[in-house]
């Protein structure tokens, strides 16, 4: 059926008909809000390159989390800025670490809000890399032990979902083993399965104070040129019993999101990362684009590509618009 019999414009005539034939929907349930928990008291410091996003001490994390939950957003993902960093990232797996304390406070005040924790060493090491350094590079197997300890301490503090972002080989199995041995077989693992070495993390590194002191992350994060490798990474994590798969960043990797959606039946998460957020905010501040409109278009595009869930700094703004 072709023109003049077929006229696609018939189904675009007004908002009600457009609503009826709309294929993709963004829901508040799809959103996960990232938060940066900083050591100290009365801290609420806006991140220069991320307007509206703050490093906050625990009491301020709690009040913002209440706002997040009241908007209907089901989950937050936590990042920590510890008092001190060292070569082995001790605060990452200390029972009194910044994240462990934040989890306990959140679960006490807001037991229903799901707490996802980022499991990685880069926020806690003085060199800023995601694991133990040996001969100038991150040592995979030595790092696995620390990641498993970190994940276990998050679970013991009350975390609902563990999200490893370090990109070491074999970490899902290492974390699953330790969780199961300690009675946490019910805690899901959300794997940053496909994480690229990306320039779009720039503003996050300011927020988490986690810029590597030397070199970069290209010996463990993926090469942006690779597509088939993403399927191998996801297969590996599936075999190691990941419960969710994640693609990160989102916008320059919509094709990868679709590849994973077509090849795996696990819930798929996309991380709409810091640089993607900052670009929208910077352009909107100059009135070069309509901020809210491009934000919603971006989030919808990530869902259309195949993501079930989106981690995004826009979560609160988007939830407000979705609730009307
Ligand atoms: C930790 C981690 C990073 C992000 C999430 N977890 C930074 C990195 O790998 O350098 C980036 C998130 C963002 O840019 O919003 N490894």
């Amino acid at each position: 059926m072709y023109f003049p019999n077929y006229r696609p414009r018939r189904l675009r005539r007004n908002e009600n008909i457009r609503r009826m034939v709309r294929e993709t929907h963004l829901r508040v349930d799809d959103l996960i809000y990232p938060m940066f928990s900083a050591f100290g008291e009365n801290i609420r410091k806006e991140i220069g390159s991320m307007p509206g996003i703050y490093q906050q001490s625990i009491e301020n994390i709690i009040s913002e989390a209440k706002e997040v939950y009241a908007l209907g957003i089901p989950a937050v993902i936590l990042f920590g800025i510890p008092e001190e960093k060292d070569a082995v990232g001790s605060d990452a797996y200390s029972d009194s670490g910044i994240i462990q304390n934040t989890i306990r406070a959140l679960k006490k005040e807001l037991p229903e809000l799901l707490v996802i924790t980022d499991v990685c060493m880069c926020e806690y090491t003085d060199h800023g890399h995601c694991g133990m350094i040996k001969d100038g590079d991150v040592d995979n197997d030595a790092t696995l032990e620390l990641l498993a300890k970190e994940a276990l301490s998050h679970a013991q503090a009350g975390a609902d979902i563990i999200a490893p972002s370090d990109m070491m080989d074999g970490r899902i199995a290492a974390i699953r083993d330790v969780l199961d041995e300690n009675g946490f077989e019910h805690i899901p693992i959300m794997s940053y399965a496909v994480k690229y070495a990306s320039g779009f993390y720039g503003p996050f590194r300011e927020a988490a104070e986690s810029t590597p002191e030397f070199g970069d992350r290209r010996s463990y994060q993926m090469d942006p040129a690779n597509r088939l490798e993403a399927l191998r990474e996801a297969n590996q994590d599936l075999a190691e019993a990941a419960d969710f798969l994640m693609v990160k960043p989102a916008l320059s990797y919509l094709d990868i999101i679709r590849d994973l959606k077509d090849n795996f039946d696990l819930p798929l998460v996309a991380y709409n990362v810091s640089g993607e957020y900052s670009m929208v905010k910077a352009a909107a501040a100059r009135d070069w684009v309509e901020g809210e409109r491009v934000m919603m278009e971006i989030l919808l595009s990530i869902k259309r590509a195949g993501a079930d869930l989106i981690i995004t700094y826009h979560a609160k703004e988007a939830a407000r618009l979705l609730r009307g």
Side-chain angles (χ1 to χ4, degrees):
M1 190 171 65
Y2 294 105
F3 180 84
N5 293 334
Y6 176 53
R7 289 178 181 269
R9 289 184 55 192
R10 284 180 198 131
L11 301 187
R12 295 180 202 141
R13 281 171 56 94
N14 59 52
E15 179 54 17
N16 276 338
I17 203 160
R18 289 192 293 270
R19 272 173 62 201
M20 288 171 73
V21 300
R22 189 158 290 147
E23 297 173 38
T24 310
H25 298 273
L26 180 67
R27 307 171 311 159
V28 178
D29 303 359
D30 306 329
L31 305 172
I32 300 171
Y33 185 59
M35 302 186 85
F36 297 97
S37 183
F39 180 86
E41 274 169 40
N42 291 321
I43 294 170
R44 185 167 156 81
K45 188 172 144 211
E46 194 169 33
I47 295 142
S49 49
M50 300 176 75
I53 304 295
Y54 298 81
Q55 287 185 349
Q56 307 179 90
S57 46
I58 292 180
E59 74 285 6
N60 291 325
I61 290 274
I62 301 284
S63 37
E64 194 184 9
K66 286 184 177 160
E67 189 194 330
V68 169
Y69 193 61
L71 284 166
I73 297 167
V76 294
I77 182 164
L78 295 183
F79 299 94
I81 300 117
E83 182 180 22
E84 276 179 43
K85 306 188 185 220
D86 61 27
V88 292
S90 309
D91 199 87
Y93 39 84
S94 155
D95 184 47
S96 54
I98 179 66
I99 283 299
Q100 292 76 2
N101 287 337
T102 312
I103 299 166
R104 277 188 292 264
L106 275 171
K107 292 316 289 184
K108 182 159 165 263
E109 296 285 329
L110 280 164
E112 308 279 312
L113 176 70
L114 288 177
V115 173
I116 307 173
T117 56
D118 185 86
V119 167
C120 191
M121 301 306 292
C122 65
E123 297 132 64
Y124 308 96
T125 51
D126 51 14
H127 47 71
H129 275 288
C130 300
M132 289 306 85
I133 302 295
K134 198 169 133 193
D135 304 329
D137 193 13
V138 174
D139 182 58
N140 195 86
D141 299 12
T143 302
L144 292 184
E145 255 175 70
L146 297 185
L147 293 168
K149 264 170 81 171
E150 180 180 4
L152 177 61
S153 81
H154 291 181
Q156 285 166 337
D160 296 293
I161 300 175
I162 302 296
S165 70
D166 51 280
M167 289 302 278
M168 295 303 117
D169 299 328
R171 83 249 212 236
I172 302 302
I175 291 172
R176 186 73 271 161
D177 281 353
V178 161
L179 291 178
D180 289 4
E181 280 162 17
N182 289 276
F184 293 106
E185 62 287 329
H186 56 286
I187 299 291
I189 300 178
M190 179 183 281
S191 175
Y192 285 73
V194 180
K195 179 174 177 182
Y196 288 93
S198 171
F200 289 99
Y201 307 148
F204 173 96
R205 292 184 185 165
E206 177 194 343
E209 300 175 8
S210 65
T211 306
E213 291 282 300
F214 60 90
D216 55 39
R217 304 207 202 291
R218 276 182 260 211
S219 78
Y220 41 103
Q221 299 180 345
M222 284 177 58
D223 183 338
N226 292 357
R227 183 175 176 193
L228 298 177
E229 190 187 356
L231 298 177
R232 294 200 298 273
E233 277 281 2
N235 254 318
Q236 177 72 48
D237 286 5
L238 174 68
E240 294 180 25
D243 299 282
F244 298 81
L245 296 174
M246 194 193 301
V247 173
K248 176 187 175 186
L251 270 191
S252 292
Y253 301 88
L254 295 176
D255 55 333
I256 309 296
I257 295 174
R258 174 47 57 185
D259 282 345
L260 259 70
K261 186 65 178 174
D262 288 343
N263 285 282
F264 297 89
D265 53 13
L266 292 186
L268 184 59
V269 187
Y271 199 141
N272 174 216
V273 299
S274 55
E276 299 171 358
Y277 175 85
S278 300
M279 291 195 305
V280 171
K281 291 295 173 192
R286 292 175 160 86
D287 283 326
W288 287 355
V289 296
E290 288 173 55
E292 286 187 348
R293 184 170 174 191
V294 299
M295 165 183 79
M296 294 310 262
E297 193 172 329
I298 285 171
L299 295 174
L300 192 68
S301 75
I302 296 170
K303 279 220 76 179
R304 195 190 60 235
D308 299 299
L309 300 167
I310 307 173
I311 302 177
T312 178
Y313 303 95
H314 293 296
K316 291 198 305 177
E317 294 167 90
R320 277 189 207 104
L321 290 178
L322 290 168
R323 289 161 63 97

